[in-house]
Amino acid sequence: MSKVRITQVKSTIDRPERQKLTIKALGLGKLNRTVEKENSEAIAGMIRKVSHLVKVEEI
């Protein structure tokens, strides 16, 4: 499987609780924090839910 690099670029302040929990589940939580994850269906779904808060790069 390919990997993706996910970087949080917007704050979760004034966002629904589900989006905050999704950001936390991805391993993010602070601006400009970056994580690398395997690109599975579950991760892709999480990215879609918070796509307006993160930047995604294929590795």
Side-chain angles (χ1 to χ4, degrees), residues 7-59:
T7 305
Q8 183 175 350
V9 294
K10 287 193 177 180
S11 173
T12 57
I13 295 174
D14 287 339
R15 300 290 177 187
E17 191 64 24
R18 287 186 69 145
Q19 291 178 10
K20 291 179 184 181
L21 292 174
T22 301
I23 289 288
K24 203 169 272 271
L26 284 170
L28 302 170
K30 292 185 177 181
L31 288 181
N32 298 317
R33 184 169 285 174
T34 300
V35 295
E36 291 183 4
K37 300 277 185 183
E38 289 291 330
N39 195 10
S40 66
E41 288 183 27
I43 296 296
M46 294 167 83
I47 291 170
R48 272 194 303 276
K49 293 291 184 184
V50 293
S51 61
H52 55 289
L53 301 176
V54 298
K55 179 178 77 169
V56 181
E57 304 169 42
E58 292 283 332
I59 299 178

